[in-house]
Amino acid sequence: MSKRNPRNLLIILGDQLDHESPIFENADPKRDIAWMAEVAEETEHVWCHQLRVAFFFSAMRHFAEELRAAGWEVRYRELPEDAGKDNYPSFEKLLTADLQELKPDGVRVVQPGDLRVEKQLLAACDSAKCGLSIMEDAHFYCGIEEFATFAEGRKELVMETFYRQMRRKHKVLMQGSKPAGGEWNFDKENRETFGKKGPSSLPAMPVYEPDAISNKVLKLVAKRFAKHPGSLEHFVLPVTRAHALEFLEDFLTHRLPLFGKYEDAMWGGEAFLYHSRISALLNVKLLNPRECVEMAVARYEEGRAPINSVEGFVRQILGWREFIRGVYWLKMPGYLELNALDAQGDVPDFFWDGKTDMACARDSMRHVIDHGYSHHIQRLMVLGQYAMLSGVHPRKFHEWHMAMYLDAVDWVSLPNTLGMSQYGDGGIVGTKPYCASGKYIQRMGNFCAGCKFDPGIAIGENACPFTALYWDFLDRHREKFTGNMRMGFQIKNLERKSDEELAEIRETAGRWRAK
């Protein structure tokens, strides 16, 4: 432990593992100390997936070692294996104690990705009577104030409008004042399925066997968090900057060319297909969004990847990711409590263990349990849609997502879950709820062929839960959705059903909602 009083204590949070972070600007290893901490509170305020705990702790420990190798003194608070949550300090108390001991002249931190953590930082510095400087996060294309300026005076926040503005400003996929390829958005070309034969010759994901640092973390997690959900069997993740870059390069070479075409497709037993799986690496900042975008655009310009794949990838990062962060900071703290559909249900048991007869949900949950991951259609149109249709409270769904996904940080999880997935914000993020019957799931994958439920039936024991719940959901919220132009077609279809049929649908759906 250091005995010197630093000029600045540089607080590096678990999702800020960036050697180019603004926290290091004008910093001096001889005068400043880096501070990092593993805190039980961060793994237990939601019932955190074992793999998620291991990923964060391993990446943090590797980052700390890299800082030390670069000449930095790092005060790293390592979580002991045998410390119970009742006798290990919270983040706030741990930081307060170290501030009182070290007595730095000042404290610096990059804008946290969680308002809850920001409040704890402020409270700790206030208790220790240390000045806190919160620096803007240069990792993102769009700053918090810049997004607020974009939103000012707008009745609706439309991601596509924001995305085009970002494309123009940063000159991404632009040919002069026109979008590359003649279109801003190639989403209509990104909805193909694998047909009856399924995908062939899928590229393997890179595998990174745990080193000594990771093995020590795995031992900790296996002992201390043994009762937490998920599995550690598939810890073959990149946890360093060098491996993250290799992982990105592998995606660009082997999966990007077909990513766009099959972006929305699903297939039983295949967790990754042509997806990048880099969101966790981006969200802990082992990768920078600019390098991801620039490298993908270079593939298009070199003729190595088609425009629909590259534009779809760019839209996820430069468009959606930046938009979601802007919404979070614009609407918090009140956003967390929004519940436009007045849903009050709990997250179903199978969201923790995957035990369900629904083939699509079972498969999606297997990926979550094994990898802390499922791609966006399985998140949105299988697990997310089931939660919304069955009436799960949107905040509880967000908390589940925070617990179970490697890439979940509050700023990105909350608007994506409560807003886009659950329509809990009533249309701030998405102008309509993302809902469909089991027929959509049947069309986009192969789950229904081996499932006991029929996606074409909404009534009775063999009815697909998604189909029954879909019609019940539209019926329950008919008045609210009637005024939504984007829901007009679905409401007209609902109105074609007789009172007798709707009564039977309600009965079938009610059994599933009761579960």
Side-chain angles (χ1 to χ4, degrees):
M1 290 292 185
S2 175
K3 297 299 183 183
R4 65 185 174 96
N5 300 117
R7 177 185 63 170
N8 287 308
L9 192 67
L10 311 180
I11 298 178
I12 300 170
L13 303 172
D15 62 340
Q16 296 181 348
L17 311 181
D18 180 5
H19 287 290
E20 302 301 320
S21 169
I23 204 169
F24 297 115
E25 293 176 7
N26 302 316
D28 184 350
K30 295 179 180 179
R31 303 175 66 193
D32 304 321
I33 293 177
W35 186 89
M36 302 177 70
E38 300 166 4
V39 185
E41 172 190 16
E42 293 303 306
T43 67
E44 293 166 344
H45 78 279
V46 291
W47 197 35
C48 211
H49 193 302
Q50 294 180 45
L51 199 65
R52 185 172 186 268
V53 180
F55 171 70
F56 270 85
F57 286 2
S58 178
M60 289 169 65
R61 292 187 187 188
H62 280 90
F63 188 80
E65 286 304 305
E66 291 171 0
L67 287 180
R68 292 186 181 108
W72 285 94
E73 180 178 343
V74 182
R75 172 164 286 204
Y76 192 100
R77 291 293 198 173
E78 194 172 289
L79 189 66
E81 287 183 19
D82 57 353
K85 66 180 180 180
D86 294 331
N87 57 21
Y88 191 79
S90 67
F91 175 83
E92 182 182 329
K93 289 181 179 179
L94 195 63
L95 177 58
T96 300
D98 281 354
L99 289 173
Q100 290 172 340
E101 177 194 337
L102 293 171
K103 296 180 173 60
D105 295 336
V107 180
R108 300 172 71 182
V109 68
V110 172
Q111 176 68 57
D114 188 328
L115 183 61
R116 176 182 56 85
V117 173
E118 181 183 289
K119 290 178 178 178
Q120 291 179 322
L121 282 164
L122 290 166
C125 289
D126 183 62
S127 294
K129 296 180 172 55
C130 289
L132 174 63
S133 174
I134 299 180
M135 310 174 72
E136 184 170 0
D137 195 340
H139 170 85
F140 295 92
Y141 282 93
C142 182
I144 293 171
E145 291 184 6
E146 181 183 356
F147 188 85
T149 299
F150 161 78
E152 189 174 358
R154 296 179 186 271
K155 292 182 179 180
E156 291 184 330
L157 298 177
V158 180
M159 194 284 289
E160 184 69 21
T161 304
F162 171 78
Y163 170 54
R164 294 183 187 188
Q165 183 171 303
M166 289 290 101
R167 289 264 297 272
R168 291 188 185 99
K169 176 181 178 180
H170 296 283
K171 298 179 173 58
V172 174
L173 283 178
M174 298 297 296
Q175 295 174 337
S177 61
K178 303 292 184 182
E183 300 285 347
W184 287 103
N185 186 314
F186 288 84
D187 191 48
K188 61 182 180 295
E189 296 182 23
N190 294 355
R191 301 170 185 168
E192 291 198 32
T193 70
F194 293 114
K196 293 183 179 180
K197 294 183 179 180
S200 60
S201 302
L202 286 171
M205 277 282 175
V207 168
Y208 297 93
E209 294 297 336
D211 61 7
I213 293 175
S214 292
N215 278 322
K216 187 177 179 182
V217 170
L218 292 172
K219 182 182 176 184
L220 161 71
V221 175
K223 180 177 180 181
R224 179 165 183 145
F225 303 102
K227 294 182 179 180
H228 281 229
S231 166
L232 292 173
E233 294 179 20
H234 300 275
F235 190 90
V236 288
L237 302 164
V239 290
T240 66
R241 167 71 173 160
H243 285 167
L245 285 170
E246 289 179 8
F247 203 79
L248 171 62
E249 183 69 32
D250 183 86
F251 162 71
L252 295 170
T253 300
H254 299 295
R255 281 176 289 282
L256 178 62
L258 289 174
F259 163 72
K261 183 177 182 179
Y262 297 117
E263 186 176 345
D264 287 358
M266 299 180 281
W267 198 259
E270 298 292 346
F272 312 122
L273 298 170
Y274 294 101
H275 293 269
S276 69
R277 203 186 169 195
I278 64 167
S279 53
L281 302 175
L282 274 168
N283 292 350
V284 300
K285 301 184 177 65
L286 290 176
L287 290 176
N288 187 286
R290 291 169 184 80
E291 66 194 352
C292 297
V293 166
E294 289 166 6
M295 292 168 72
V297 170
R299 292 300 204 279
Y300 166 67
E301 292 173 343
E302 295 162 4
R304 298 167 65 187
I307 185 64
N308 66 311
S309 286
V310 174
E311 186 279 318
F313 180 70
V314 167
R315 185 168 7 109
Q316 287 187 339
I317 296 175
L318 180 59
W320 192 252
R321 188 170 184 265
E322 298 284 331
F323 179 78
I324 284 294
R325 179 176 184 258
V327 168
Y328 179 86
W329 288 109
L330 184 70
K331 298 296 183 180
M332 283 293 279
Y335 194 86
L336 180 63
E337 303 304 324
L338 296 180
N339 188 359
L341 301 180
D342 193 30
Q344 300 297 330
D346 291 323
V347 173
D349 289 345
F350 76 80
F351 273 52
W352 300 106
D353 58 23
K355 295 178 181 179
T356 175
D357 289 332
M358 292 177 282
C360 58
R362 184 172 62 245
D363 188 81
S364 299
M365 275 306 308
R366 175 47 51 197
H367 304 325
V368 176
I369 290 167
D370 286 349
H371 306 292
Y373 172 89
S374 60
H375 73 70
H376 70 277
I377 292 298
Q378 288 182 305
R379 293 197 208 201
L380 178 65
M381 298 306 295
V382 179
L383 300 175
Q385 184 183 204
Y386 187 89
M388 180 181 68
L389 297 182
S390 60
V392 172
H393 194 293
R395 179 174 49 77
K396 292 182 179 180
F397 180 75
H398 159 62
E399 290 169 350
W400 168 83
H401 186 269
M402 282 289 295
M404 295 297 282
Y405 281 86
L406 294 185
D407 58 9
V409 180
D410 204 56
W411 68 264
V412 69
S413 176
L414 183 59
N416 266 309
T417 54
L418 185 145
M420 183 186 186
S421 175
Q422 302 302 294
Y423 200 66
D425 65 8
I428 294 172
V429 168
T431 55
K432 66 179 288 293
Y434 283 85
C435 59
S437 73
K439 284 288 189 179
Y440 173 84
I441 296 171
Q442 181 183 41
R443 183 168 68 252
M444 299 309 298
N446 66 328
F447 304 115
C448 299
C451 186
K452 66 180 290 186
F453 303 113
D454 187 336
I457 298 175
I459 296 167
E461 293 297 321
N462 294 326
C464 173
F466 283 90
T467 303
L469 288 167
Y470 167 73
W471 292 114
D472 177 67
F473 174 76
L474 292 180
D475 184 42
R476 283 186 286 122
H477 301 292
R478 184 190 306 224
E479 184 175 346
K480 183 180 292 289
F481 296 153
T482 297
N484 188 321
M485 292 180 62
R486 293 192 65 198
M487 295 292 291
F489 179 75
Q490 290 168 295
I491 294 300
K492 284 183 179 179
N493 284 336
L494 174 69
E495 290 171 347
R496 293 190 178 98
K497 296 190 178 295
S498 68
D499 291 342
E500 291 78 10
E501 186 178 5
L502 283 174
E504 292 182 281
I505 288 173
R506 290 187 201 108
E507 183 180 350
T508 301
R511 290 197 296 271
W512 284 97
R513 293 179 64 206
K515 295 180 181 181

